[in-house]
Structure formats: C-alpha cells, structure tokens
Amino acid sequence: MVWEVGSEAVPQRRSPLQDQSQDDGTDMTLTPSPETPATFPLIPSPAEPPWWVRAVRPVRPALPWAPVVRAALGMAVPLFAGLAAGRLDLGVFAGLGAMHATMNDRDEPGRLRAVRIGTALGASAVGMLIGGALLHDRVGAWPAALVLTAVGFVSGAVSATGPRGSAAGMLLLVSAALGGGLGPARPWWAAGPMMLAGAALVVRLRLLRPPRRRRPAADPRLRTLAAVYRALGDLLAALEPPQGAADRRLLTARLNQLQDQLPHRHPGGRPEPAQLRRLRRSYEAALAATEAASGLLWAWRPVPPEVAAVPGALARALHAEPAPDAPAPDAPATPPAPLVPDWTPGTPALRALDAALRTAADAVTGRPADPATAVRTAPAPPPDPWRLRARLLSRGSVRYGLRVALCVAVAGAVTAGLPLERGYWVPMTVAFVLKPDLGSVFLRAVSRAAGTVLGVVVTAGLLALTTDRWLLAAAVALCVALLPSTAAAHYGLNTAVMTPMALGLVQLGGGSGVTEFWPRVLDTALASGIVLVFGYLLWPERAPHRIEPLIVAATGALRGYLDSVTAGGGRPPSQVWLRRTAYRALADVRREVQQGLTEPARRAEAWLPATAALSRLSGAVAPHAAQLRYGGPAAEPADVARVSAALDRLAASARRHRPPGGAIEAPGGPHDPRRSALARAAGELERLLG
C-alpha cells in the first residue's frame, strides 16, 4: 500500500532537490536528479556541517497542483465507490493502481508516458497476482519466502536497468509481498485487473485538458527545449563560479532530459514531421551553444548582456510568450527585432557562441539555416538506454538482483520464524529501501524507521478523533495527494505521510485499531536492520564501491572526448555525443558523491577534489574544441599527453580504491588566454595526484 516515486526529475535553481514546475502546471515534483545542482561544494571546507546535518536537512519543494488533484481523485473515487457498493476490497486495489499510475506519470511525449506507466502497472499487477495466488493456495511460510526471494532477484535485476526499470522492479516485489498479506479480493485474481482499472481512471483524468492547452507549446518536448534555453541564458548571465558552475549543471540536466525525450533517428527511415525536425535543429544548436558557453565559464569571459538575453528570447518564442517589454495590443505594429544582436565577437570562443545562437534562432523561428553561420548538424543520438539489449543480464543487474534476493531471503526467514501478524510489511519495506535510484541506502534505512514512527503517531491521533470509514477514506486520499511534494522534500517525511495512508487502508479493511499499528514500527525497524546489515555493510555497494567505478567510467569518457578533439581533421561526426557521454558520466559521479556525503563514512569526501578536477577538465576540453573550429590554436602534443597520462593515473587510483591525496583550489580569476587551457587542466590534475 505504499509507493515511491522514480528519480528522473530535473532540478531548478532555487530548490535543488525538486523539479521545476512547468508553465502549464502539469509537471509533478519528483525525487533528486542525477544532475541536481550541488547542494554541497565540490571542495570541502571546515565550515561544512557534519554528515548527519546534511542527511536530515529537507528542502521546500513547490506544490504541483495538477498531480496533487489527480492523485487525490485517483484514490478517493475508487475508495468512495467501493464503500458505496459494499466492495471496499476492489476499491482499495483500484486506488492502489491509480496511485501507482499517478506517481509514475511524467511530463513526457505520449509514447514515453505510455511505456513508463504501462511498465510500472504491468509489473505491479503481475506482482499482485503472484501474491494473491500464494494467499489463495494457502502456501506455507517457507515456500512463500522462496517464491518472494525469486521475485526479489528478478525485481533487483530489472531495477538496475534504468529509472523505468527501477520503478517496475520495485512495484513487482512490493505488490507480490502486499498481495500475499493483504486481505484478498473476491475473486482472488481480481486485484490485478482492478489496479489496471484504477490506472485507466488516472490516465483519463490526465487527458482532460482545457482547450488552451491544445497548442504546439503543449508538446512536453517543446517545454523542455524552452527550459534548455532558459538555463542557457542563466549560464550566459553568470559566467563565473560558483553560480555559473551550478547553472551549467542545470543546463546539462535539461539537455539530458530533452535527449531522452527525442526519438532515435533511423538512417534511411521515413521523413520526420516538421515539428520534430525543428526540435532536433534547436536541440543541436543548443548543444553547440553549451559547448561555447562552457568554455567562456571556464575562462571567466563574460558576454554582453544583450547576447546573454538571446536564449531567454528563444524560450519565449518557443512558448509564444510576449517579451517583458512587448507593446500593448493596440500599439502600432513594428517589424520584429532580430533575436541575435549585431555584435562583433572578438575571440574564437565568442565566434563559436555567436554561430550557435544564430543557428538556434533560425531553428526556433523556422527559418532555413544560413550556410555562413550554421552549426553542422549533429548525428542521431544513441538509442534510449531502456531498449533492453543485454542490460537485464549485465553484471550490474545480476549483482543487484542477488543483493535484493539476499535481503528478501533473510526477511522471509525472519518473518517465517517470528510470530509477526503482518509479515508482508518486512519484505515490502526491504523493496522500498533498496530501490537503486533514490540515494544512499544507509540514509533511506534510517529515514524509513524514523518516518514510520512519526507516521504511526499521526495515525494514532487520527483514529483518536474519528473511526468513520468515509472520513478515513478522505484522509487516505489526502495523504496520497501529499506524496509527490514530500518525496521531493525528504525521504523520511515521505515515509511519515505514506505510513498513515497504508495504516488507514488497513483500518478500512477491518484493522483492530491503534494497538495493531505499533508493531509496524518493529517490522520497519527489523527490515531497515536487515538492509543495513545484508544490503549495506556486508555488500560491496558502499560509497567507495559506488563512486570508484563511476570515476573510472568518467575518466574513460573524458579521455575519448579529448582524443576526438585533439585528433585533428575538423569536427568528427561523433564528437558531440562523446561530449554528451562524458558530461553524463560526470553527472553520475557527482550524484554518487553527494549521496555518499550523507553517510557516516567520510570516503566520499576524499573523492570530492577528483570530481572537481574532472569537471574542470571537461570545461577546458569543450572550449578548446569550439575554438579549433573558429581559428583557435591547436593544443601542444605535450599538453595532451600530460592530460591523458593524468587521467590514466586517476583511473588507476580509483581501481585501487585509493583517492588521490593532493589538493585542488578553485580558480581565483579569469584564465590567461596566452596559456594553454589543456596545460592548465593538466597542472590541476597533476597537483591533485601529487
């Protein structure tokens, strides 16, 4: 009866752990993104708070009203209908299906949304059927534990394939545990179909949009593209650290989001619609502008304010929004001003930025590209990583499946050997805590226990006020409505809201009152202890083991990008995607380091300087690539060799689990243009490596 949101959100500047609500108000607040702007500095300082302060510190997310209303109605309508018809069992399962659909909904194109919701609901329905079959056939505790262990292995392996797989895998295990312990539906197999019916209700609510939404800007890809240009404008307006570095991470997150939303372009396939071609051109121009802007940020080279305002004008053009100083509707018509001002870029980096902005303006306004300034079209992006291939059978998926199966097996053995009235609560909690894309397992286990205690207290207070079933159903719907925002605020707070929802459903199903709820605290503490011991302490997945493989991957991606840039021969067709691969690998490293900072072990802090050095190096290679295309000098082979050797040494250090002991300092001023950017980056890496 509990759920968790996936973690594919994209951050905004003012609230680093929540998604930015879109202009139409349909986007939902989610959990932290891989590209969340750094909550903690890249280089630690003595003034930083201890790990436990960072772990308990919540954020203040915006309240996404449209998903809140859909979540409340999706739970309330089935519950009220079940109470009115005397079939509350069917209403509960339909409400659960509606809740799962709402929480797996994203502001995406219809095809991606259908795949995401369908995958999550399909896994949940299958898990519910498995659990219902175990309950219907009266399987013993030990055989049921073996079946749940097998389901746990499949759940963990699927969860490791990506964000969509994470949601589907978790719901498979949660529903199997829940279906085997919750009161059965009549007939027993009706739980799965009722969940699908509840999901259909939420999908129908999502389609009920006012006529004003039926315009081109209603395409979620256009909204994401506009967010890309707004983030680019923020970066150009603050081309110096620390704000510029946070803006660049936000821009990278927006680009990642749009890349995942664009379909794969098949060579020789059918011609794409004009709208999609416009999106691709605008996206590729934004990639080129990001490359040039990253170089300007690295060198602390500001641009004129009128140039920094161009991306914001492009974002308004995509949304058909009037400019802030637009004339009144009855004012005399004047010819539209050009989006890119007439200016004279004096350096290769500025010329690269100017060409990218002019290409973007042509793409956004639908004009044909100017051959004199057009940025060369980038190749098609790689396929969506969810296109299974061998990810399900990869080493990482199998290892995570074994990790979840071990914890579920221990939980099954404990519940079979102890007189627990609702033993399904233990494996269900294990599934929640081990969800792979929600941050530190240690932090989630502790937060889960603390949140459950608070949730039980809230539930006891509610039942002291009323036991009316209609009011309890309304309270359950209210808790569901609060879940999106609390998921973005803090995991413990989210658990404190989920617990009254779950216990309210237990009470509606004939629970015995408050005295039955306090054992849930023991169950949760037991499950959290199992995860901490068998899924954290005894399993090689603690911070160093998570961070160091990603350090190796990021150094390899940067090495490939550097080799492509310095190989000569113009701009190789694959160079833009080598840069994207490197940036996404760095985003993964930052995410894991930030999660490690919320754990007692201080090993993650030891990798902070290396993360900063790699980010600085990526900022040095990008401007060099842009300048080469606009008359900049080529890098000295000795400098390239120094950077390559330093990357190899850093990767070797990560493989040996030995963080470098050197120091790295933030730059104190603009880069001297007479000095090689790669030489400066090589010096920073060499000082870091000692």
Side-chain angles (χ1 to χ4, degrees):
M1 285 175 285
V2 262
W3 62 276
E4 296 209 29
V5 183
S7 67
E8 287 185 290
V10 178
Q12 67 180 11
R13 295 178 63 190
R14 291 187 298 271
S15 184
L17 292 182
Q18 56 130 17
D19 188 23
Q20 176 174 331
S21 299
Q22 302 295 341
D23 295 334
D24 55 33
T26 62
D27 207 10
M28 64 180 294
T29 305
L30 306 172
T31 49
S33 162
E35 268 293 341
T36 301
T39 309
F40 320 117
L42 288 177
I43 303 173
S45 67
E48 278 302 297
W51 67 269
W52 60 269
V53 173
R54 295 191 291 253
V56 302
R57 179 185 296 162
V59 297
R60 292 184 178 181
L63 192 62
W65 288 109
V68 163
V69 172
R70 284 199 302 272
L73 290 177
M75 178 58 77
V77 171
L79 286 182
F80 290 161
L83 284 172
R87 291 302 307 271
L88 183 61
D89 56 335
L90 299 183
V92 167
F93 289 113
L96 290 174
M99 181 177 62
H100 292 165
T102 302
M103 302 315 158
N104 284 280
D105 195 6
R106 302 289 184 275
D107 192 28
E108 294 177 321
R111 177 183 62 86
L112 295 179
R113 184 183 300 123
V115 171
R116 185 188 302 277
I117 295 177
T119 302
L121 264 295
S124 185
V126 169
M128 195 65 69
L129 288 175
I130 293 174
L134 294 176
L135 186 63
H136 178 263
D137 294 339
R138 300 182 183 277
V139 175
W142 289 104
L146 291 177
V147 172
L148 277 184
T149 299
V151 173
F153 174 77
V154 175
S155 169
V158 172
S159 295
T161 60
R164 296 176 196 148
S166 177
M170 182 201 69
L171 288 178
L172 173 66
L173 180 55
V174 166
S175 298
L178 189 61
L182 199 63
R186 302 190 309 272
W188 69 268
W189 48 262
M194 289 306 300
M195 294 184 73
L196 298 178
L201 169 65
V202 168
V203 172
R204 179 58 183 164
L205 291 174
R206 176 68 185 253
L207 296 177
L208 296 177
R209 299 177 179 176
R212 66 179 181 83
R213 288 286 316 282
R214 296 166 187 167
R215 62 181 191 271
D219 187 341
R221 295 171 299 190
L222 273 181
R223 290 195 292 273
T224 305
L225 179 61
V228 166
Y229 282 111
R230 285 194 295 269
L232 177 60
D234 291 339
L235 174 58
L236 292 177
L239 287 173
E240 62 180 48
Q243 183 57 54
D247 288 335
R248 194 190 75 163
R249 290 191 288 273
L250 174 59
L251 175 57
T252 301
R254 297 297 187 189
L255 289 169
N256 291 347
Q257 184 184 21
L258 184 56
Q259 179 183 348
D260 292 339
Q261 290 181 359
L262 290 175
H264 180 51
R265 184 166 52 192
H266 298 280
R270 292 182 300 176
E272 294 180 334
Q275 178 78 353
L276 183 55
R277 291 198 302 272
R278 178 193 180 202
L279 277 168
R280 287 197 191 279
R281 286 183 59 201
S282 303
Y283 172 58
E284 291 159 2
L287 290 177
T290 299
E291 182 183 57
S294 297
L296 296 171
L297 170 64
W298 186 85
W300 289 29
R301 300 296 176 192
V303 298
E306 59 272 17
V307 175
V310 170
L314 296 178
R316 289 191 295 272
L318 286 167
H319 274 295
E321 299 172 355
D325 55 349
D330 55 351
T334 57
L339 291 175
V340 182
D342 290 330
W343 65 303
T344 304
T347 65
L350 292 177
R351 287 195 291 272
L353 177 65
D354 179 69
L357 291 179
R358 293 187 187 279
T359 301
D362 291 338
V364 168
T365 56
R367 294 192 300 263
D370 184 355
T373 60
V375 176
R376 185 178 174 184
T377 301
D384 184 345
W386 177 246
R387 298 179 187 273
L388 286 171
R389 293 196 300 265
R391 291 181 63 88
L392 188 58
L393 301 178
S394 67
R395 181 179 179 184
S397 294
V398 173
R399 288 181 66 210
Y400 208 83
L402 292 174
R403 182 184 183 189
V404 176
L406 174 62
C407 292
V408 172
V410 174
V414 169
T415 55
L418 293 179
L420 300 179
E421 184 177 353
R422 297 185 184 272
Y424 66 86
W425 197 280
V426 179
M428 187 176 65
T429 303
V430 167
F432 284 138
V433 176
L434 278 179
K435 192 172 187 293
D437 54 358
L438 285 182
S440 164
V441 170
F442 173 85
L443 176 60
R444 295 205 307 271
V446 175
S447 299
R448 187 91 192 177
T452 300
V453 172
L454 180 59
V456 168
V457 172
V458 171
T459 307
L462 174 64
L463 291 182
L465 295 176
T466 181
T467 57
D468 182 80
R469 303 179 80 188
W470 292 88
L471 292 178
L472 287 179
V476 168
L478 176 62
C479 290
V480 173
L482 295 176
L483 288 177
S485 294
T486 56
H490 195 276
Y491 186 81
L493 182 61
N494 186 237
T495 302
V497 174
M498 285 191 290
T499 301
M501 179 206 71
L503 297 179
L505 290 178
V506 170
Q507 180 69 16
L508 287 172
S512 59
V514 177
T515 57
E516 184 181 328
F517 296 160
W518 288 108
R520 303 294 77 76
V521 176
L522 175 62
D523 296 342
T524 301
L526 189 61
S528 299
I530 290 172
V531 170
L532 285 175
V533 174
F534 295 95
Y536 180 73
L537 294 177
L538 300 183
W539 196 267
E541 292 290 340
R542 284 171 287 169
H545 301 278
R546 297 194 314 262
I547 295 171
E548 287 152 4
L550 295 179
I551 292 283
V552 174
T555 55
L558 276 173
R559 177 73 182 271
Y561 177 37
L562 175 65
D563 292 344
S564 173
V565 169
T566 58
R571 186 182 193 183
S574 61
Q575 188 181 108
V576 64
W577 299 114
L578 289 172
R579 184 177 76 249
R580 297 257 64 235
T581 301
Y583 279 24
R584 298 193 83 148
L586 286 171
D588 291 340
V589 174
R590 285 195 296 268
R591 180 191 69 238
E592 292 296 340
V593 169
Q594 289 185 8
Q595 292 175 2
L597 291 176
T598 61
E599 298 178 0
R602 303 182 63 85
R603 193 68 177 270
E605 290 187 5
W607 286 107
L608 277 173
T611 305
L614 290 175
S615 297
R616 293 275 300 155
L617 175 60
S618 69
V621 178
H624 182 65
Q627 291 174 25
L628 284 177
R629 295 191 296 274
Y630 292 91
E636 292 291 336
D639 295 335
V640 177
R642 288 175 60 197
V643 174
S644 299
L647 287 174
D648 292 342
R649 289 176 58 194
L650 182 58
S653 178
R655 291 189 184 97
R656 295 193 303 267
H657 308 292
R658 295 179 181 175
I664 180 174
E665 297 180 358
H671 172 62
D672 185 354
R674 296 170 297 179
R675 186 183 177 191
S676 167
L678 292 182
R680 178 173 175 177
E684 292 178 351
L685 283 173
E686 289 167 350
R687 287 193 298 274
L688 171 69
L689 294 166

